[in-house]
């Protein structure tokens, strides 16, 4: 079964979430039907990815809502991936106990999406009240607790609602203490 799955691995990405706590207006996964996967199924996918890649990224609507995310991250770290990352909206990192738990897994990269340096503009895009405050608090919590040699990246999805504000957004993110920023175009799936 692993041999068949190895052929089917198309990249170093494992989708673990089928829920999201945002409702982003341009979500490329909003209308995609994700099949709920058990932890055993996800571990099998991680094993298959490891046979082809030395890095892995946990994704899928909002992976931090996967109730077994900490154990899955630990599992991947235990397989010796050079890089174990998590792409997220960052809102769950608002909770310090969650931040501590996830950072203790040994992952070495978190990528957080931020739409604006302005609360109202961010929340128009995320279509979720309090998402800006929680995301920014999450970034601060990670910065406070992250180990050395940890990669914390902020993704800014450039779109018609924020492209004029890019210099201010980048300055804001740098002022938070972020050293890595990706400016991305929307890419529908």
């Amino acid at each position: 079964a692993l041999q068949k799955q190895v052929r089917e691995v198309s990249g170093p990405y494992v989708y673990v979430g089928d829920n999201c706590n945002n409702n982003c207006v341009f979500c490329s996964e909003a209308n995609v039907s994700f099949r709920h996967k058990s932890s055993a199924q996800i571990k099998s996918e991680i094993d298959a990815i490891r046979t082809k890649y030395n890095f892995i990224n946990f994704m899928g609507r909002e992976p931090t809502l996967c109730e077994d995310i900490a154990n899955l991250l630990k599992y991947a770290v235990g397989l010796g991936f050079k890089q174990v990352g998590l792409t997220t909206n960052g809102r769950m990192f608002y909770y310090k106990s969650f931040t501590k738990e996830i950072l203790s897994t040994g992952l070495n990269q978190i990528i957080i999406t931020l739409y604006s340096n302005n609360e109202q503009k961010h929340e128009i895009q995320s279509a979720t009240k309090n998402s800006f405050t929680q995301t920014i608090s999450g970034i601060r919590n990670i910065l406070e607790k992250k180990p050395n040699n940890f990669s914390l990246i902020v993704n800014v999805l450039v779109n018609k609602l924020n492209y004029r504000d890019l210099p201010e957004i980048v300055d804001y993110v740098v002022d938070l203490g972020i050293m890595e920023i990706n400016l991305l175009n929307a890419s529908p799936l």
Side-chain angles (χ1 to χ4, degrees):
L2 182 59
Q3 288 298 342
K4 180 181 180 223
Q5 197 165 18
V6 169
R7 287 191 303 270
E8 293 174 4
V9 170
S10 59
Y13 308 104
V14 60
Y15 286 79
V16 299
D18 51 5
N19 294 308
C20 190
N21 51 0
N22 275 352
N23 191 25
C24 300
V25 295
F26 35 67
C27 179
S28 62
E29 297 174 343
N31 295 321
V32 176
S33 179
F34 284 100
R35 161 182 70 83
H36 178 76
K37 297 183 275 188
S38 69
S39 292
Q41 290 170 316
I42 294 169
K43 285 179 179 178
S44 179
E45 287 182 37
I46 294 168
D47 291 338
I49 291 168
R50 184 64 183 105
T51 65
K52 289 184 123 180
Y53 297 95
N54 201 18
F55 61 99
I56 189 169
N57 190 281
F58 288 74
M59 307 175 80
R61 295 235 172 102
E62 181 48 45
T64 62
L65 297 180
C66 172
E67 60 188 43
D68 203 24
I69 190 65
N71 289 327
L72 294 168
L73 288 166
K74 283 181 195 174
Y75 182 78
V77 168
L79 291 177
F81 282 97
K82 186 174 184 178
Q83 181 176 316
V84 176
L86 174 69
T87 299
T88 174
N89 62 33
R91 291 182 57 202
M92 287 297 294
F93 291 97
Y94 169 84
Y95 303 98
K96 290 187 179 209
S97 60
F98 181 83
T99 303
K100 183 178 177 181
E101 178 184 24
I102 296 302
L103 291 177
S104 73
T105 66
L107 87 162
N108 52 11
Q109 182 180 74
I110 296 176
I111 304 165
I112 295 180
T113 303
L114 182 70
Y115 300 122
S116 179
N117 61 314
N118 174 281
E119 180 176 10
Q120 182 180 9
K121 289 181 180 183
H122 177 89
E123 291 181 3
I124 286 170
Q125 294 171 76
S126 71
T128 306
K129 190 156 179 59
N130 299 319
S131 63
F132 179 79
T133 299
Q134 289 181 340
T135 298
I136 297 303
S137 293
I139 290 170
R140 288 185 173 131
N141 287 339
I142 294 166
L143 286 169
E144 180 184 317
K145 301 289 184 191
K146 74 176 183 62
N148 293 332
N149 300 320
F150 188 92
S151 174
L152 178 58
I153 300 171
V154 168
N155 279 347
V156 178
L157 179 64
V158 180
N159 62 75
K160 70 180 182 177
L161 301 172
N162 69 2
Y163 75 93
R164 288 184 183 98
D165 303 326
L166 285 178
E168 292 85 9
I169 295 169
V170 169
D171 286 345
Y172 180 79
V173 170
V174 169
D175 287 346
L176 285 171
I178 300 297
M179 305 302 287
E180 300 173 84
I181 304 168
N182 290 327
L183 301 177
L184 308 170
N185 291 316
S187 51
L189 299 177

